[in-house]
Amino acid sequence: MASCKVASKVDVSVVHVRSRDEFEALVYSSRMPAVIRSFDLGPAPKLWTAHYLRDACGDIPVKIHVCPTAKMDFISKNFAYKTLPFSQFVTRAAKNEQEEFFFEKEEKYYLRSLGNNPRKDVADFSKDWPQLFKDISLPQFFDEANLFSSVFRVGSAQLQLWTHYDVMDNLLVQVVGKKRVVLYAPNEVHNLYLEGDKSAVLDIDNPDTTKHPLFGKAVAHECLLQPGDILFIPALWFHNVTSLDFSVAVNMFWRHLHKDLYDSKDPYGNKDPLPAQKAIQATERALKLINELPGTYKDFYARRLVSMIETHSYCQ
């Protein structure tokens, strides 16, 4: 396998923000990722040890991801969904090696909280986890009416989540443990080999240049989150997240666009805006039609379509 190091990296800026006005002036207006440091989250960063979490939440059943390897891949689905009592899940996630396991001793565990009815309800940390919500002061940097969901996340050390984008703005509130986050701008889409909203490049530090020769051109924006840090991830920015320690975090997703542009039947907030969904479907139909043409004609009209999109839709 031919591999190479990522060619270019940029450090994500670190800012000290304590109010919505400061957030809008120093962070939000630029539409760039930023690490917010020194915001007072309350007692949670020191309080939420594995022991405390077990005592506070007890044996609530939780649906989790269990992966035999540290690199979790949502394209190949190299993990399984399992259900455990929360106390057992935390005990396992906080350890590097298991006495009891599903696949192997060093398997990794990951919880992405869901609503009470996952098919209909969005995740709401304040309602779904009241025994923990009382411990934390989450930032109010946006209109409450635009808040879509607040997601509680717990994961094993060294667990790496696949590179993907979200369609809403996002505050990643890192409460316990350190995280490495690598981000790519939306205009890097040509270099990331997308399958849906996910990149097919699993090992971002040593990409296979035979399969993914353009990936080395993508500029990586990188940061190391400390406990108590908050990372602003603008909508459409790709991100790859590695928990360096046992990790506890809360994500807050809110709408950047008008509410009517989002899919109202999507409790996860993962689906593309409605006009984009229709455009992608139309493009798929166009591709089927073009593929009915012989080689030279297919190539010409494909390039003509690309030229039309570049001319009329690209921002730069």
Side-chain angles (χ1 to χ4, degrees):
M1 180 183 77
S3 63
C4 68
K5 296 294 183 182
V6 176
S8 180
K9 289 188 178 180
V10 176
D11 291 335
V12 175
S13 62
V14 177
V15 296
H16 298 273
V17 168
R18 292 177 176 80
S19 69
R20 178 174 173 176
D21 287 344
E22 290 179 343
F23 174 75
E24 291 180 347
L26 299 175
V27 178
Y28 200 62
S29 59
S30 72
R31 304 300 299 164
M32 291 287 291
V35 176
I36 298 166
R37 192 156 285 166
S38 303
F39 184 87
D40 184 7
L41 294 175
K46 292 184 178 179
L47 196 60
W48 285 3
T49 63
H51 178 79
Y52 179 87
L53 295 173
R54 287 194 299 264
D55 286 350
C57 301
D59 292 335
I60 299 170
V62 288
K63 188 175 182 180
I64 59 171
H65 304 67
V66 183
C67 190
T69 178
K71 288 182 170 61
M72 190 177 290
D73 181 3
F74 207 84
I75 296 175
S76 68
K77 298 289 198 301
N78 66 341
F79 56 86
Y81 293 107
K82 300 291 184 180
T83 299
L84 283 176
F86 182 80
S87 59
Q88 288 187 29
F89 157 70
V90 169
T91 297
R92 294 191 187 196
K95 294 193 298 185
N96 293 325
E97 193 169 290
Q98 311 299 322
E99 289 82 31
E100 296 183 56
F101 49 87
F102 293 103
F103 300 110
E104 56 184 62
K105 290 182 178 180
E106 295 182 355
E107 64 192 18
K108 304 301 180 184
Y109 296 82
Y110 172 58
L111 167 67
R112 188 267 192 215
S113 69
L114 306 172
N116 288 330
N117 184 339
R119 294 186 178 183
K120 296 191 303 181
D121 299 334
V122 300
D124 185 336
F125 181 62
S126 65
K127 295 180 180 177
D128 302 335
W129 301 87
Q131 60 276 68
L132 299 178
F133 180 73
K134 62 181 176 57
D135 300 331
I136 192 167
S137 299
L138 294 172
Q140 301 297 320
F141 292 157
F142 48 86
D143 289 337
E144 188 174 350
N146 290 330
L147 177 66
F148 176 78
S149 66
S150 48
V151 180
F152 181 50
R153 299 182 191 268
V154 183
S156 299
Q158 306 309 314
L159 179 68
Q160 184 174 12
L161 300 183
W162 57 92
T163 304
H164 68 284
Y165 70 88
D166 296 302
V167 300
M168 299 187 190
D169 286 341
N170 173 12
L171 289 177
L172 170 54
V173 182
Q174 185 61 25
V175 185
V176 174
K178 298 176 183 177
K179 267 188 182 143
R180 178 198 182 207
V181 185
V182 181
L183 306 103
Y184 304 93
N187 61 10
E188 298 283 8
V189 65
H190 288 2
N191 299 322
L192 298 182
Y193 298 89
L194 286 198
E195 295 189 21
D197 62 347
K198 306 162 190 69
S199 170
V201 183
L202 188 59
D203 190 342
I204 62 172
D205 295 306
N206 294 285
D208 184 339
T209 56
T210 302
K211 289 183 178 180
H212 308 120
L214 297 178
F215 183 75
K217 296 182 178 181
V219 176
H221 299 248
E222 186 168 338
C223 60
L224 178 62
L225 298 183
Q226 304 289 339
D229 282 351
I230 301 169
L231 174 62
F232 171 57
I233 306 176
L236 307 184
W237 273 75
F238 298 89
H239 44 287
N240 182 288
V241 182
T242 303
S243 298
L244 303 181
D245 311 303
F246 169 67
S247 175
V248 185
V250 178
N251 278 104
M252 304 174 71
F253 293 94
W254 74 97
R255 303 176 188 89
H256 178 228
L257 305 176
H258 190 278
K259 184 177 181 179
D260 291 345
L261 293 175
Y262 296 99
D263 192 329
S264 62
K265 297 180 180 179
D266 176 20
Y268 291 91
N270 292 338
K271 293 183 179 180
D272 292 305
L274 293 173
Q277 290 186 39
K278 293 178 182 178
I280 291 170
Q281 292 165 3
T283 303
E284 290 171 346
R285 291 194 296 270
L287 289 173
K288 288 181 180 179
L289 292 172
I290 285 177
N291 284 333
E292 294 176 6
L293 296 168
T296 302
Y297 289 83
K298 179 172 66 175
D299 181 85
F300 171 76
Y301 285 104
R303 292 177 187 275
R304 183 177 171 187
L305 279 179
V306 170
S307 177
M308 290 170 62
I309 292 172
E310 289 180 342
T311 300
H312 296 289
S313 297
Y314 278 23
C315 293
Q316 55 187 17

